[in-house]
Amino acid sequence: MSGSQMRPAAHSLVPADTTEDVRTRGAGVSRQVAVLPVGSFEQHGAFLPLATDTLVACAIAREIAAAHPVHLLPPVTISCSHEHAAWPGTVSISSVTLHAVIRDIAASLRRSGVDALVVVNGHGGNYVLGNVVQESSARGERMALFPAPEDWETARVRAGVETSLLTDMHAGEIETSILLHAHPELIRPGYETSDFVADDRRHLLTLGMSAYTDSGVIGRPSLGSAEKGKGLLASLADSFGAYVSLLTSADDSVADTGDA
């Protein structure tokens, strides 16, 4: 069987843990950490699937779960993709709804004894996730958002990604590389000839993506490779260690300051 045939298909994005798996894993750690992938359902040009951001977030989360004793959750698959509304297939929910979903999930986890949550964000337009984490932390809850721009930059350099984070905005070298590694069967022909650069996007929130690209691509997907995708995921899994240390710290002030 070839390597590509052995890779998990898209339907394996849902974790196969039983309740006993979660119980056993939780017994071996001082504080349980859950990992929630958040993606989107939006256009990614003619060669990447609408579910690209979800696939990327899940690939990162799976890599994290393979390296750290975390409770892996199924993904949130539709989020805030309003800037992509000009393209068929894109579906969005409001930022208010996404905010409420993350808060509800975190509250449910705490009731079951998992009091730390890391949101793995696969879509740059989910600005509200930063607010969710910021507000939750101010209440004394243990929550983090991953990857930070610094984590992506470290991964970009380590994996040999040539495109800067500014230029690699959408359906570019990074996303193409991760899917070439994790889900090559889902990539259509055309990424090799779809490069398009638009670094000045200052009116993106007002005008949407269609003001800056006809194809839906902003970046250099032609530079993508499975090797780079593997390197990106490995680097992100390494970076995640600092988040685990922070969220499982014995310093209860992280968790108690907002309970009064």
Side-chain angles (χ1 to χ4, degrees):
M1 184 177 291
S2 70
S4 62
Q5 290 174 311
M6 293 175 65
R7 292 190 182 94
H11 59 72
S12 68
L13 299 179
V14 178
D17 281 351
T18 68
T19 188
E20 290 305 314
D21 293 330
V22 178
R23 190 195 310 275
T24 301
R25 188 185 306 115
V29 296
S30 60
R31 193 184 301 274
Q32 292 191 69
V33 177
V35 172
L36 175 66
V38 178
S40 72
F41 200 72
E42 65 186 37
Q43 71 83 21
H44 277 78
F47 54 89
L48 295 182
L50 293 162
T52 290
D53 290 341
T54 299
L55 295 167
V56 168
C58 287
I60 295 170
R62 284 198 307 268
E63 197 81 8
I64 288 169
H68 304 278
V70 298
H71 178 30
L72 182 59
L73 300 172
V76 175
T77 59
I78 297 177
S79 60
C80 303
S81 300
H82 311 283
E83 70 273 28
H84 299 276
W87 282 272
T90 297
V91 181
S92 291
I93 58 177
S94 73
S95 61
V96 173
T97 299
L98 183 57
H99 191 295
V101 167
I102 303 302
R103 283 196 62 182
D104 283 356
I105 290 172
S108 177
L109 287 165
R110 288 193 299 274
R111 287 193 295 271
S112 68
V114 181
D115 63 352
L117 174 64
V118 180
V119 179
V120 175
N121 182 30
H123 172 47
N126 287 335
Y127 310 111
V128 70
L129 294 179
N131 298 115
V132 177
V133 172
Q134 183 183 51
E135 293 164 12
S136 296
S137 298
R139 289 191 298 269
E141 299 160 8
R142 292 177 182 257
M143 191 181 293
L145 183 61
F146 183 83
E150 294 84 356
D151 300 314
W152 276 119
E153 180 61 17
T154 297
R156 186 188 72 81
V157 173
R158 281 185 52 181
V161 171
E162 299 176 46
T163 317
S164 71
L165 294 182
L166 171 64
T167 298
D168 193 62
M169 188 261 186
H170 192 71
E173 185 178 2
I174 287 177
E175 289 183 323
T176 300
S177 292
I178 290 176
L179 261 65
L180 282 170
H181 169 66
H183 293 287
E185 73 281 3
L186 300 181
I187 297 182
R188 307 288 180 89
Y191 73 90
E192 306 90 341
T193 58
S194 295
D195 291 4
F196 183 78
V197 174
D199 284 350
D200 186 346
R201 304 183 295 271
R202 70 187 71 191
H203 302 301
L204 177 66
L205 297 181
T206 301
L207 300 175
M209 282 281 289
S210 60
Y212 296 96
T213 171
D214 292 331
S215 67
V217 176
I218 296 180
R220 296 191 177 97
S222 69
L223 300 176
S225 72
E227 182 180 4
K228 291 176 182 177
K230 181 178 181 180
L232 285 161
L233 294 177
S235 177
L236 291 173
D238 288 344
S239 295
F240 190 78
Y243 292 76
V244 173
S245 297
L246 177 65
L247 292 174
T248 59
S249 167
D251 181 5
D252 287 335
S253 66
V254 175
D256 293 342
T257 56
D259 291 342

